[in-house]
Amino acid sequence: TESEKIAKRFNFGFEMLELLESKAIRIGFREGRKKFDQIVQERELVLKKIRLKMYVHDSYYRLILDPQLNNPNNTLFAKTFLEECLEKISVLSTGKMTPGVEFTYLYLEFELALIKKEFKKCINILKRQIFLIGKDERLNNNQRRSIVYCNLAQAHIILGNKSNARNYINRCMLLDNQNSNNYFIHLEISFLAYFFDNQLPNASSTLQILLSAPSTHGAFRLSKYQYNFGCLRFAEGKHKEALKIFSQKFSFHTDRTGYAIWVRIMQILCLIELGQNLNAHAKITGLEKQYHRIKKSSPLSIRTQLIIKFLLSFDKIDFTPSRLKASHKALLNKLSEKKESHSWEPFTPELVKFHQ
């Protein structure tokens, strides 16, 4: 019927069930049990598709709403959650997914690939999402396309594909409404791309726009922009100015194992560069207390723990490079290793690579 065609086109699952139920009864009385069972089987298939759609979307919202699943210092919980979700989806799936369900499913696959550091797989997943956006008019909007372009830019930054990263950043920002939250989020990715490529003048001009973000963007994000400003000044060799920025009040209380502890680390690095060893020693004492207090309830990344270990040891030789022992050098070499659990990664508070 025309109603069934419309229901199928717009994926009105529950309406489709009601239509099939009335159809089964109507035709069952007219043509018998066999025809009734055929329509009931069709109804069961629709019900399975509804269950699949609901489970995929519920899994997505559980992922983004649960703080425990978004802890960058402990991804094991999220990895287990995503693997279980994807396994159940494979059981629930009865064939080809609708574009909307597949798009959300791909997001779950993307997050798992990201945790497993399968960045080339991430890019393939994101390209499939772009294909789906172009294929289905219900998915095709600037905001969704812009977010996928931004994710592509981040994946290419991680892989070191600078030109591809720049291309996707430009694409996503052309789609954003200026002064929207997404515009500033994507502008920050643009800043990081310039920063990691050592294009500090471009990074600086981009950051000046970020620093003008309105208060509606939230205290945490505004604090991140200030923190990035401090890292930029440090990279430029302006350690006194960087220290002044890092000494400001930041709203990082919700990220005790990340930005909150890295503000202290950056203060210490500034003081060491400025030759203020007594002040650096006092800050390291405070850092050690903070570290022991935090680790009782929240795990720090392996890399952050190694960096704190180095600073505590460096403090004992009064921050004198010429007195570095073999153990210090071994620790710095460990921090410079690639593709390890303790390796440096972009999109963390460690903008300035500690080992360098």
Side-chain angles (χ1 to χ4, degrees):
T1 66
E2 188 61 29
S3 296
E4 287 172 307
K5 289 178 183 177
I6 293 171
K8 284 181 179 178
R9 181 185 172 192
F10 289 100
N11 202 25
F12 292 155
F14 292 109
E15 289 88 341
M16 188 70 179
L17 285 174
E18 290 178 358
L19 285 167
L20 287 170
E21 184 178 8
S22 61
K23 181 180 178 182
I25 296 168
R26 187 177 67 253
I27 294 178
F29 274 112
R30 191 170 67 233
E31 300 184 32
R33 164 77 183 273
K34 186 176 180 181
K35 196 67 179 177
F36 173 84
D37 285 344
Q38 286 178 357
I39 299 169
V40 167
Q41 285 179 352
E42 186 180 348
R43 186 188 67 187
E44 287 301 310
L45 183 61
V46 172
L47 188 56
K48 286 179 181 179
K49 288 183 177 181
I50 292 172
R51 287 196 188 106
L52 174 65
K53 179 179 180 179
M54 290 176 68
Y55 182 77
V56 170
H57 285 270
D58 289 349
S59 299
Y60 166 76
Y61 284 109
R62 287 189 184 103
L63 178 65
I64 64 173
L65 292 172
D66 189 343
Q68 199 173 1
L69 292 171
N70 289 281
N71 184 350
N73 297 319
N74 185 12
T75 57
L76 181 60
F77 189 63
K79 181 175 179 288
T80 304
F81 169 80
L82 287 164
E83 286 173 341
E84 289 174 355
C85 287
L86 294 174
E87 185 178 351
K88 186 168 181 180
I89 288 168
S90 69
V91 172
L92 290 173
S93 183
T94 55
K96 190 176 181 181
M97 298 179 187
T98 63
V101 173
E102 186 184 355
F103 186 90
T104 308
Y105 164 77
L106 287 171
Y107 180 84
L108 300 174
E109 274 210 327
F110 168 75
E111 287 296 324
L112 181 60
L114 203 59
I115 289 169
K116 295 167 75 172
K117 303 186 189 307
E118 297 173 351
F119 301 118
K120 289 183 179 178
K121 183 177 180 179
C122 287
I123 289 172
N124 290 333
I125 291 168
L126 293 166
K127 285 183 176 179
R128 175 65 183 173
Q129 284 189 315
I130 290 293
F131 170 78
L132 291 172
I133 289 171
K135 182 181 177 182
D136 193 290
E137 61 183 17
R138 290 165 296 181
L139 292 173
N140 196 353
N141 63 61
N142 286 348
Q143 184 180 18
R144 187 175 280 111
R145 193 181 288 271
S146 173
I147 290 169
V148 178
Y149 283 151
C150 181
N151 288 337
L152 276 163
Q154 291 183 74
H156 281 293
I157 287 172
I158 292 168
L159 289 170
N161 302 331
K162 297 167 187 174
S163 60
N164 286 342
R166 175 60 48 201
N167 176 34
Y168 282 116
I169 288 168
N170 291 338
R171 283 197 203 181
C172 76
M173 295 196 66
L174 285 172
L175 296 170
D176 291 331
N177 293 322
Q178 283 201 357
N179 296 323
S180 67
N181 283 349
N182 278 348
Y183 175 79
F184 281 93
I185 289 169
H186 299 159
L187 195 64
E188 185 182 12
I189 303 299
S190 180
F191 159 77
L192 293 172
Y194 282 130
F195 186 87
F196 296 141
D197 198 23
N198 204 34
Q199 296 185 38
L200 299 186
N202 287 336
S204 182
S205 60
T206 304
L207 192 58
Q208 293 307 313
I209 304 172
L210 279 172
L211 292 171
S212 68
S215 58
T216 52
H217 287 253
F220 182 85
R221 187 162 291 282
L222 294 175
S223 288
K224 270 183 70 180
Y225 301 155
Q226 283 292 335
Y227 176 88
N228 291 346
F229 187 35
C231 290
L232 176 65
R233 287 293 179 256
F234 186 94
E236 292 171 335
K238 299 175 182 177
H239 303 118
K240 190 174 182 179
E241 190 175 342
L243 178 61
K244 187 177 179 180
I245 295 167
F246 289 126
S247 299
Q248 295 176 7
K249 186 176 180 181
F250 292 90
S251 297
F252 289 147
H253 55 277
T254 58
D255 188 28
R256 296 166 59 218
T257 60
Y259 281 96
I261 208 158
W262 266 92
V263 167
R264 281 183 179 262
I265 291 172
M266 291 308 300
Q267 288 173 353
I268 291 164
L269 295 182
C270 289
L271 290 167
I272 292 171
E273 292 290 343
L274 292 168
Q276 298 182 25
N277 291 2
L278 285 175
N279 289 336
H281 170 73
K283 288 288 183 184
I284 285 179
T285 301
L287 175 67
E288 185 177 18
K289 290 178 181 177
Q290 183 183 13
Y291 166 60
H292 288 301
R293 191 166 56 248
I294 289 172
K295 74 175 185 177
K296 291 177 182 177
S297 57
S298 305
L300 276 76
S301 70
I302 296 171
R303 183 174 178 86
T304 300
Q305 292 182 62
L306 290 173
I307 287 168
I308 292 172
K309 180 181 177 181
F310 178 87
L311 287 172
L312 292 171
S313 183
F314 197 33
D315 182 22
K316 291 176 182 177
I317 58 170
D318 200 31
F319 312 110
T320 308
S322 61
R323 294 174 61 190
L324 286 173
K325 299 176 183 177
S327 58
H328 294 108
K329 294 175 183 177
L331 197 48
L332 287 174
N333 287 335
K334 188 178 181 70
L335 289 168
S336 66
E337 290 173 350
K338 296 181 179 180
K339 297 182 179 180
E340 300 291 343
S341 60
H342 53 265
S343 300
W344 176 84
E345 292 182 2
F347 311 112
T348 67
E350 189 188 349
L351 270 63
V352 178
K353 297 178 184 179
F354 184 88
H355 57 275
Q356 293 182 351

